[in-house]
Amino acid sequence: MKKRYIFGAVVILLIIQFLVILLISPDENSLKKQYSVYPRFGQKIWTFNMNKHEWRNYHKNDDELSKEEIILQVKGFEGNGGYTTYQLLTGNAQVPKEDVWVGEGSQEFLKGTKLYSYFPKNFEYYELIFNGVKFVPRELEISEIETLFNNYKIIKISDLINGNNTYKMTKKQNKFIVINDIGEDFYKYYIIPNDSKKMQIGQYSNQFSVSDSVEIRLQRLEGCTKAYPCFDIVIK
């Protein structure tokens, strides 16, 4: 009888352990999707054709010594602000072998044949332009952002400052994007959810989607101060 009880207890423990593993272990596909957003150091990401002025994803057969193309390879984060840097791989002697410094904690992404960058510290978007010698970030206009994210409703900081903080949502229009249109005086703000079940942050920190009416807040992490006031956003 004792052996039977011991055997039964062991079976129960194995079943419990199996269920715990299923509950705790993250889904493999979701992990791959999560880590694909963050490129690895040394990874070759994008290739730029200097004749066509077009970007594309890096291919394994791309020539690092090409005189017509430039490959961007992730180098790391440098400087006090953690600027994203890329190493240039090209056989064109006229292109200086200087690292590309993009932005503080910037997130680069390809859209069509253009390379863009999101600066999370100030809620701004840039296009990465090659001027014949080096790459220079060009800040996007509001109209360009609207075209780039045409399924998002734009929320401008200037409107929030003027007290226009109520926005309507529908089933088709439930995505919003906060844009800093007032310059350097507004930075290091974050979207603070008051109800995470109704609001989810998007791929970038200034994007969010809602599933119901909700009130959220735009603020610095240290809270609301006279120098850095908070802004309430009401979605109905």
Side-chain angles (χ1 to χ4, degrees):
M1 289 292 290
K2 289 184 178 180
K3 290 183 178 179
R4 186 178 300 175
Y5 285 131
I6 293 174
F7 178 77
V10 171
V11 171
I12 292 174
L13 287 174
L14 289 175
I15 293 174
I16 292 174
Q17 184 178 7
F18 176 73
L19 292 174
V20 169
I21 291 173
L22 287 179
L23 290 173
I24 295 177
S25 298
D27 179 74
E28 184 177 352
N29 291 330
S30 63
L31 270 180
K32 287 181 180 179
K33 183 178 180 181
Q34 177 182 353
Y35 288 119
S36 65
V37 179
Y38 305 98
R40 302 183 303 272
F41 293 164
Q43 185 177 358
K44 299 166 187 174
I45 305 294
W46 301 288
T47 301
F48 178 74
N49 188 296
M50 289 179 280
N51 294 330
K52 298 180 180 179
H53 300 282
E54 292 181 351
W55 288 95
R56 59 176 168 79
N57 289 318
Y58 167 77
H59 299 154
K60 290 184 178 180
N61 59 350
D62 286 350
D63 184 7
E64 296 181 11
L65 300 178
S66 172
K67 295 182 180 180
E68 298 178 354
E69 295 183 333
I70 301 174
I71 299 171
L72 285 192
Q73 182 180 31
V74 179
K75 184 173 182 181
F77 305 98
E78 298 185 6
N80 295 331
Y83 280 73
T84 306
T85 59
Y86 297 92
Q87 183 178 357
L88 296 177
L89 303 178
T90 180
N92 193 317
Q94 295 182 356
V95 178
K97 300 302 185 291
E98 297 179 358
D99 296 335
V100 178
W101 288 49
V102 186
E104 187 177 356
S106 64
Q107 297 172 260
E108 284 66 59
F109 59 98
L110 191 66
K111 189 91 169 182
T113 58
K114 294 184 178 181
L115 185 63
Y116 297 96
S117 182
Y118 168 61
F119 289 12
K121 290 292 184 180
N122 50 14
F123 288 8
E124 293 174 347
Y125 287 90
Y126 292 78
E127 180 187 358
L128 204 56
I129 300 292
F130 182 68
N131 64 6
V133 179
K134 60 182 180 178
F135 291 97
V136 180
R138 178 189 67 84
E139 186 175 356
L140 297 184
E141 301 288 342
I142 295 291
S143 59
E144 294 177 291
I145 298 174
E146 288 176 333
T147 302
L148 196 61
F149 300 100
N150 54 18
N151 57 337
Y152 282 80
K153 173 69 176 178
I154 299 290
I155 297 177
K156 296 188 291 186
I157 296 300
S158 59
D159 290 339
L160 296 178
I161 291 177
N162 293 328
N164 303 319
N165 65 339
T166 301
Y167 297 85
K168 292 184 178 181
M169 64 153 287
T170 64
K171 291 183 178 180
K172 293 183 178 180
Q173 182 67 73
N174 68 334
K175 294 183 178 181
F176 300 84
I177 182 170
V178 180
I179 297 300
N180 176 12
D181 63 331
I182 63 172
E184 298 179 358
D185 293 334
F186 187 91
Y187 63 98
K188 295 182 180 179
Y189 271 69
Y190 303 84
I191 296 173
I192 308 297
N194 289 344
D195 192 335
S196 59
K197 294 180 180 179
K198 297 180 180 179
M199 190 278 285
Q200 295 81 37
I201 298 293
Q203 183 177 1
Y204 305 109
S205 60
N206 68 331
Q207 300 175 357
F208 64 92
S209 61
V210 297
S211 57
D212 201 349
S213 299
V214 65
E215 294 183 9
I216 63 177
R217 175 164 287 180
L218 189 64
Q219 68 172 63
R220 289 171 66 98
L221 287 182
E222 60 265 31
C224 309
T225 64
K226 186 175 181 180
Y228 301 104
C230 298
F231 300 97
D232 292 320
I233 302 174
V234 179
I235 307 295
K236 292 185 176 181

